[in-house]
Amino acid sequence: MAQAAVGDLCVVLLNGQRLEVKCDVESTVGAVFNAVTSFASLEELTYFGLAYMKGKEFFFLDNETRLCKIAPEGWREQPQKTSTNTFILFLRIKFFVSHYGLLQHSLTRHQFYLQLRKDILEERLYCNEEALLQLGVLALQAEFGSYPKEKRDFSMLVRLVSNARLQMIHQSQPSKQVESKPYFHVEDYIPASLIERMTAFRVQVEVSEMHRLSSALWGEDAELEFLRAGLELLTSGDPSASVSQSAGITGVSHRTQPNLRSAFQTLSCKQSDNIFYS
């Protein structure tokens, strides 16, 4: 009996974790989905799906589709080659809800937060400048809590520049007497196009000051506030607030999932360098 052909598959989770596996090329997308969501301990599976990327767009796959039908040409195990033929899939939110209160589990809500944050940073979800800065502050609060007390030197610089209405930014460099380093990287919280328009230093100044003046939020509370604001953008009816992906907004009920069918021969996990935390 001929040995079943296997291929290298990588599934990227919403927190940046990469599951690298070898699987039967005849396996179905549903089999992979069940194994991945079981590994990630996810529930409320109706909201999730596996997608592949073509260009800059994500396309969701039906559970019945076989991997060999949609994988790149030549995808299969080749001992002389390593990662050149790895097929990459992405676990993503397939159906959004109108309010996070419809989600029953905290882990599901966290996945929605990660998805919206990625979509905003990657400019799949558009909103105005003020909203982008406010969402960046909420993401900072989710990870740092309140403004760090040890950054008072940087806060002094922030207030100085803010009071000057930021006129000095385009004319000269900030004073070298202030050597305190920023406590976050702006590109981890604010989309690249806004950083380009405002300059990185000005964004650092404004977000830091907004963080300093914000009411105390921490962890899940900040995530929920981020999620509330993000979902409002999706349901606002504003054509500028659109998600560039094959996903919808729904109040769907939970359907029975297919029976678990193992797609994996080996399973290993590698955590990539990523700003999204599990």
Side-chain angles (χ1 to χ4, degrees):
M1 182 180 294
Q3 184 177 4
V6 297
D8 293 322
L9 178 68
C10 175
V11 180
V12 183
L13 305 185
L14 285 166
N15 65 356
Q17 194 173 24
R18 302 169 69 92
L19 306 182
E20 297 183 354
V21 306
K22 290 184 182 295
C23 63
D24 188 331
V25 297
E26 295 293 329
S27 297
T28 63
V29 170
V32 176
F33 177 80
N34 282 324
V36 168
T37 53
S38 176
F39 172 85
S41 301
L42 294 178
E43 301 186 56
E44 301 181 276
L45 301 185
T46 301
Y47 298 115
F48 299 91
L50 287 177
Y52 69 94
M53 179 178 278
K54 184 176 182 180
K56 295 184 178 181
E57 298 292 328
F58 289 98
F59 297 90
F60 284 98
L61 298 165
D62 292 331
N63 281 345
E64 296 76 20
T65 302
R66 296 192 180 278
L67 296 178
C68 59
K69 299 297 184 181
I70 42 92
E73 184 178 356
W75 176 69
R76 62 186 65 252
E77 185 178 53
Q78 297 184 21
Q80 301 303 319
K81 297 182 180 181
T82 53
S83 61
T84 54
N85 287 321
T86 298
F87 183 26
I88 301 177
L89 295 177
F90 300 83
L91 181 70
R92 292 180 65 81
I93 304 298
K94 191 173 184 179
F95 298 108
F96 286 91
V97 294
S98 57
H99 189 275
Y100 66 76
L102 296 171
L103 304 174
Q104 299 178 14
H105 299 278
S106 60
L107 184 55
T108 306
R109 293 190 290 269
H110 181 60
Q111 301 304 306
F112 270 66
Y113 161 76
L114 294 175
Q115 174 81 68
L116 285 173
R117 188 171 167 201
K118 286 171 68 70
D119 285 340
I120 289 170
L121 280 180
E122 295 171 0
E123 302 186 68
R124 300 177 187 280
L125 176 60
Y126 302 99
C127 51
N128 61 46
E129 181 176 300
E130 181 181 1
L132 288 174
L133 294 175
Q134 291 174 342
L135 288 167
V137 172
L138 287 171
L140 273 175
Q141 290 179 299
E143 293 168 16
F144 289 92
S146 300
Y147 186 85
K149 293 181 179 180
E150 64 273 15
K151 295 300 178 181
R152 294 188 184 278
D153 287 342
F154 187 74
S155 178
M156 291 174 61
L157 175 61
V158 165
R159 293 196 294 274
L160 175 64
V161 177
S162 179
N163 291 338
R165 304 297 297 175
L166 302 171
Q167 294 178 0
M168 61 172 286
I169 294 175
H170 300 291
Q171 300 174 0
S172 64
Q173 296 298 320
S175 173
K176 294 184 179 180
Q177 295 179 356
V178 180
E179 297 181 355
S180 178
K181 294 182 179 179
Y183 58 101
F184 67 95
H185 298 291
V186 292
E187 62 272 17
D188 292 347
Y189 298 89
I190 302 298
S193 63
L194 181 55
I195 295 174
E196 184 177 359
R197 292 197 303 271
M198 292 180 61
T199 74
F201 180 72
R202 181 180 173 189
V203 172
Q204 190 92 51
V205 165
E206 294 210 10
V207 172
S208 296
E209 181 69 352
M210 290 170 68
H211 188 193
R212 187 182 69 85
L213 297 175
S214 295
S215 57
L217 281 177
W218 180 270
E220 185 176 3
D221 289 337
E223 285 192 10
L224 290 179
E225 185 61 23
F226 186 105
L227 190 53
R228 181 198 59 76
L231 291 174
E232 282 185 359
L233 287 173
L234 287 175
T235 58
S236 65
D238 184 351
S240 66
S242 61
V243 176
S244 178
Q245 62 178 6
S246 302
I249 302 172
T250 184
V252 294
S253 60
H254 295 272
R255 297 191 296 271
T256 302
Q257 296 297 321
N259 292 332
L260 180 63
R261 173 183 172 186
S262 177
F264 299 100
Q265 295 182 350
T266 61
L267 174 64
S268 63
C269 303
K270 292 185 179 180
Q271 179 69 45
S272 64
D273 293 331
N274 196 285
I275 63 175
F276 304 104
Y277 301 100
S278 57

